[in-house]
Amino acid sequence: MHINCHTHYVDPGKLSFIGFADNQLYYFEYIENHETPLGRIREITLKSPFKCHNLVGSFNGLLCLKGPKQRFCICNPITKEYVILPEPVRKYDYNKYRWTGFGYLPSIGEYKVVLVCYEERHFVYVMVYTLASGNGWRNIGKFNLEFDHGCYEPGIFVDGALHWKDRDRKMIIVFDMADEKFRESLSLPVDKRNYHNLGVFDGLLYYVVVFFDSVVNHWCSDIWMHKKKNTNYDRKEQTTLDWSKEFTVATSDSTPLAVTKTGGILGCASYCPWYLHIYDPKASASIRRVDFQVRFCQVIPYKNTLVSLKELEEEGTIIMQLVKKRKRRANSWS
């Protein structure tokens, strides 16, 4: 299970998310205020516009979904607009590795979908679809990469690039979205084969490592951030990017999603997330949680906007349909 995170700050007291389960999209908000310090949940249910396998990513209100046979859909659950992208013309062996990713380049205002397909050992073929360009899928070319394991999970977009982890070689493969070339791969922060997860938190790439703490006698999670670090080299101060362990959470089933108004860390279950909970970084403990009573395949932070696919002039834009709201036994934190 993968959780692709992209933190946003529109209203510090309200955080929005998209959950995916049973081919339906669930939009919900965490709202923090003085009357209800632990917030409440507002939910909207939308039927997925096509048979969806996973959520690839979301930027500026646009959500990228992936379906069968390398079909992708871009939609805005708030405006209910969507478009199904054409199938790539290149024929692939669907039994081989395929990596996907979605990103946004604010400097040029472009949204891109990336499809990376394994051809033969250490070689991949890359295709890119730029939204509203009218060019369809572009063949970027064949690249020689040293990797041993396919990256089935969607790429994590941060710092203008997509990131996929190769667990066998203990590295992170990086694809620059502007240059449309692969950057130098990143090493992992620690050499452990326990469960780990990659994502974006507070605008930084993070890496979660689960380990068993013999002192407290249960599983915990270390949260590592890839951040700027000042170093002295030949008496000159330089700024580089390196891994830094930021905090430890006393659970093995949580991934950070966002920072709350009061400084808490909002997270969700890593395996089939059906609840959210808040952590106190100083105490490394869970405060409370809300149970959705549905097992989401994925949950991602979502920026609520009115960005229109029609105004972007993407051809073939259609309107989604609302579905009957699912009944909940509770609509508050417990």
Side-chain angles (χ1 to χ4, degrees):
M1 200 289 301
H2 171 71
I3 299 175
N4 181 3
C5 304
H6 182 75
T7 305
H8 55 276
Y9 297 95
V10 178
D11 178 353
K14 182 173 72 174
L15 299 168
S16 304
F17 303 89
I18 290 288
F20 170 64
D22 300 326
N23 210 43
Q24 291 187 2
L25 302 175
Y26 299 88
Y27 168 82
F28 56 92
E29 298 173 342
Y30 165 79
I31 303 173
E32 188 172 33
N33 53 51
H34 296 293
E35 291 75 19
T36 312
L38 291 177
R40 61 187 178 84
I41 299 296
R42 185 169 71 90
E43 181 184 303
I44 299 175
T45 305
L46 292 168
K47 184 176 179 59
S48 178
F50 75 157
K51 187 176 181 180
C52 177
H53 285 178
N54 57 35
L55 309 180
V56 180
S58 178
F59 294 91
N60 300 328
L62 296 184
L63 184 65
C64 180
L65 315 174
K66 181 184 178 299
K69 296 184 179 180
Q70 309 313 313
R71 297 303 298 272
F72 293 85
C73 172
I74 307 295
C75 69
N76 186 332
I78 303 304
T79 65
K80 303 176 185 60
E81 294 178 336
Y82 76 93
V83 61
I84 297 178
L85 306 187
E87 185 176 356
V89 294
R90 184 179 176 84
K91 294 183 178 180
Y92 295 102
D93 183 348
Y94 293 113
N95 294 319
K96 292 184 177 180
Y97 303 142
R98 297 173 302 280
W99 318 342
T100 60
F102 179 59
Y104 172 67
L105 299 172
S107 59
I108 54 178
E110 288 185 349
Y111 299 88
K112 293 184 178 182
V113 181
V114 175
L115 175 62
V116 182
C117 290
Y118 172 88
E119 282 211 336
E120 55 185 284
R121 186 170 178 81
H122 299 326
F123 284 92
V124 295
Y125 199 89
V126 182
M127 298 189 73
V128 175
Y129 186 100
T130 303
L131 197 65
S133 67
N135 297 324
W137 287 97
R138 292 179 292 112
N139 297 322
I140 302 304
K142 190 176 182 179
F143 296 85
N144 185 357
L145 294 178
E146 291 191 6
F147 68 96
D148 287 339
H149 194 279
C151 307
Y152 289 103
E153 298 170 349
I156 304 302
F157 185 79
V158 62
D159 190 27
L162 288 168
H163 299 72
W164 297 276
K165 64 176 181 288
D166 184 337
R167 293 187 293 271
D168 291 347
R169 293 184 61 87
K170 302 183 182 67
M171 68 179 185
I172 297 172
I173 298 171
V174 186
F175 181 78
D176 190 295
M177 291 282 274
D179 295 338
E180 297 182 343
K181 296 180 180 179
F182 286 95
R183 298 179 185 173
E184 182 180 355
S185 299
L186 299 176
S187 60
L188 301 183
V190 290
D191 182 9
K192 289 186 178 181
R193 286 188 173 273
N194 293 335
Y195 172 79
H196 45 264
N197 192 31
L198 190 69
V200 177
F201 177 71
D202 202 14
L204 300 174
L205 186 71
Y206 76 74
Y207 191 79
V208 178
V209 177
V210 176
F211 66 97
F212 185 80
D213 190 330
S214 58
V215 176
V216 295
N217 198 34
H218 63 73
W219 292 88
C220 300
S221 300
D222 281 340
I223 313 297
W224 293 75
M225 300 287 192
H226 198 244
K227 59 194 299 186
K228 290 182 179 179
K229 182 179 180 181
N230 293 326
T231 58
N232 291 320
Y233 182 75
D234 291 339
R235 297 182 180 180
K236 294 182 180 180
E237 186 172 305
Q238 297 181 346
T239 300
T240 59
L241 286 171
D242 201 359
W243 292 105
S244 172
K245 188 171 75 171
E246 295 299 300
F247 54 91
T248 298
V249 176
T251 181
S252 63
D253 68 343
S254 181
T255 297
L257 289 177
V259 179
T260 68
K261 184 178 181 180
T262 55
I265 297 172
L266 194 65
C268 73
S270 297
Y271 292 98
C272 294
W274 62 93
Y275 63 83
L276 293 174
H277 42 194
I278 299 179
Y279 289 100
D280 181 350
K282 298 179 180 178
S284 298
S286 176
I287 299 177
R288 291 194 181 178
R289 73 183 191 182
V290 60
D291 194 332
F292 289 98
Q293 299 158 26
V294 61
R295 294 203 172 195
F296 293 121
C297 297
Q298 292 171 271
V299 172
I300 63 172
Y302 176 78
K303 188 175 181 179
N304 185 345
T305 75
L306 297 177
V307 172
S308 171
L309 289 169
K310 288 185 177 180
E311 291 180 3
L312 290 175
E313 298 182 353
E314 177 66 23
E315 296 181 359
T317 300
I318 308 172
I319 302 299
M320 299 171 66
Q321 293 183 346
L322 277 168
V323 298
K324 187 176 181 180
K325 186 175 179 181
R326 176 174 54 87
K327 291 184 179 180
R328 292 175 51 101
R329 288 181 295 173
N331 197 34
S332 61
W333 290 81
S334 57

